[in-house]
Amino acid sequence: MYDIIVVGAGPAGVSAALYAKSRGFNVLLLEKDEVGGLIKSVSHVTHYVGLSEDESGETFREKLEAQIADADIELKYEEVIELDLRYELKKVKTRQNSYNAKAVILAMGSTPKDLGLDNEKEIGVEHSALGLDEEIEDRIIFVAGGSDGAAKEALYLSKLAKKVYLVEEKDELGMIDEFKEKIEASDNIEAMTSSKIVSASGTRDKITEVCIYDSAEKEEKLFENGEDEFLIFAYIGQRPNTELIKDSVEMAGPYIKTDGVKTSIPGVFACGDIIDKKIRQIATAVAEGCTCAIEAQKYLGY
């Protein structure tokens, strides 16, 4: 029996667990993979207070992990497969065990979207550049996306790659001015707006060609590798990991509908990428995690 179970150990879930633990609650933090969520795969973490110089997703993840340990929070690496949240006593089932709690905080995060190519796995479309420095070096890189996240990764890749094509489906880049200026100033990044990667041929070891459709020009542009080696990265957004919960709480499309952080079930709270909101940043996720813990405290009557 736990006071609070937190499902997911990204920034939102870790924040919720830390604040709940600091208030004296018996907390269980469940994570199916690694602490950090999507942030662990980011090459360079920016725009968050207290960052170290050249903070990467991996160093940020390590800090989260250290905070969990320092706070003596019980962390178990188990995948949650079933949630029964209807009653006052909530039940959380993993592949290994079943747990009970008086309150549950949902922070399952999100998963990167694929490009939708038929052979996406075969050609090895990547969602993270970390650990791939040797493979990136001197290659031609295609980065799908035009957001801040795509810009950060394109800038990181450009330090090693021969050339980076930033391929954005919309007619203009959707990133903040800071990143636009850096992209424009780069001598080996070329932005292709109104464009989409529609096909690619080859294997993960050798992509032989990439076809991009330019909707403004209404033409396909074929890139054949010749002596160059290609890699493709996708940063076109995320889908919320709400499959487990979508039939249990009120939803807003694929996202959980909340009143602040309260779901439609008393004693069940949600934060981070899985909730319906306008701003999706580390700062907002961490704030929501904190709020979840405080609202859970109120619900439990402490």
Side-chain angles (χ1 to χ4, degrees), residues 244-256:
L244 272 180
I245 195 69
K246 67 178 184 178
D247 296 325
S248 300
V249 298
E250 188 174 354
M251 302 290 291
Y255 298 98
I256 297 173

Side-chain angles (χ1 to χ4, degrees), residues 39-45 55-61 130:
I39 196 67
K40 67 180 182 289
S41 63
V42 173
S43 62
H44 188 202
V45 182
E55 188 88 73
S56 71
E58 177 57 25
T59 60
F60 194 84
R61 184 199 71 77
L130 289 180

Side-chain angles (χ1 to χ4, degrees), residues 11 13 64 66 104 112-113 132 135 170 210 212 251 279:
L64 294 180
V104 170
K113 289 181 179 178
L132 298 178
E135 293 187 55
K170 296 178 182 177
V210 176
I212 295 174
M251 302 290 291
I279 301 173

